[in-house]
Amino acid sequence: MNRSLVFDLATAAFINKREDALFLGPGGTGKSHLAQAIGQAAIQQGYKVLYRETHILLDELADAVADGTRKEYMESVATVPLLIIDDFGMRKLPHTAAEDLLEIIMRRYERFSTLLTSQPSGRGLGQTARRCRRSQRHARSSAASRSCAQVRPAKLAHQDGACIIRKEASWNARALPSRSGI
């Protein structure tokens, strides 16, 4: 395990810099556990943190729409200093999910930090990114038209039974905007 990267994220310096993080790896590698630990460390340093699994976040948003409190809910999600979205793209989501997730990400873009966990293959992040790109092509707002962003991912993988984190160089991602990572 690359302990220095974990400790670097636990300092919450990335929150001050309004950077984001992406934990990718197969199931069982500790992505959710690390995301929760980093969230706890941020709380201990005085930051407000909201942790939600993707499907729960979308269920809460749907409830807010039904209650007529969507604007207030989106404001609370969009302005928390650290939003942790766990298991991003891992379940089949409603057709409006891509637009809703894109709106959340765009509202947070370069303003607040977001930490996402996902699996690199299958239905996960790739399919969600494709849906966001399709939604983005049809979006009219200038904020939604920003399609590229710098990403600083932290990749997790099993190696000899241990959870390994590899810090990678920045790369461009489409439709999942963030200042320095997702």
Side-chain angles (χ1 to χ4, degrees):
M1 178 182 294
N2 183 337
R3 294 173 56 118
S4 66
L5 177 58
V6 173
F7 289 134
D8 180 51
L9 291 171
T11 67
F14 76 103
I15 298 172
N16 270 340
K17 296 175 187 174
R18 297 179 182 136
E19 294 178 334
D20 304 310
L22 169 63
F23 290 172
L24 287 176
T29 57
K31 300 176 299 292
S32 297
H33 182 80
L34 278 176
Q36 291 169 10
I38 289 166
Q40 181 66 30
I43 289 168
Q44 291 173 346
Q45 295 172 54
Y47 291 100
K48 290 185 179 182
V49 176
L50 178 63
Y51 170 91
R52 291 291 184 271
E53 291 181 355
T54 304
H55 69 281
I56 299 295
L57 180 72
L58 293 168
D59 286 347
E60 289 176 353
L61 181 57
D63 290 344
V65 169
D67 296 344
T69 59
R70 183 184 193 279
K71 182 178 180 180
E72 294 83 1
Y73 182 78
M74 287 298 283
E75 184 67 22
S76 69
V77 169
T79 59
V80 67
L82 177 59
L83 174 63
I84 300 172
I85 304 176
D86 198 8
D87 292 334
F88 188 77
M90 296 309 301
R91 290 187 182 197
K92 187 170 180 151
L93 300 172
H95 293 288
T96 60
E99 291 87 3
D100 292 335
L101 288 169
L102 179 62
E103 181 178 351
I104 291 168
I105 299 292
M106 293 308 300
R107 285 182 179 216
R108 298 181 60 76
Y109 180 73
E110 291 188 342
R111 294 179 186 95
F112 302 98
S113 295
T114 305
L115 191 158
L116 297 176
T117 71
S118 186
Q119 293 185 13
S121 62
R123 270 201 336 248
L125 194 58
Q127 182 180 28
T128 304
R130 284 188 296 278
R131 284 184 186 163
C132 287
R133 276 197 298 275
R134 280 195 301 269
S135 300
Q136 196 172 23
R137 279 192 290 255
H138 301 293
R140 295 182 185 172
S141 74
S142 62
S145 66
R146 286 184 236 143
S147 62
C148 290
Q150 290 297 309
V151 177
R152 182 180 148 205
K155 233 179 177 179
L156 280 71
H158 262 46
Q159 182 175 353
D160 299 328
C163 182
I164 305 296
I165 301 175
R166 292 186 302 254
K167 190 172 180 180
E168 297 182 326
S170 292
W171 53 281
N172 283 327
R174 293 208 166 267
L176 297 170
S178 178
R179 182 166 177 242
S180 296
I182 292 182

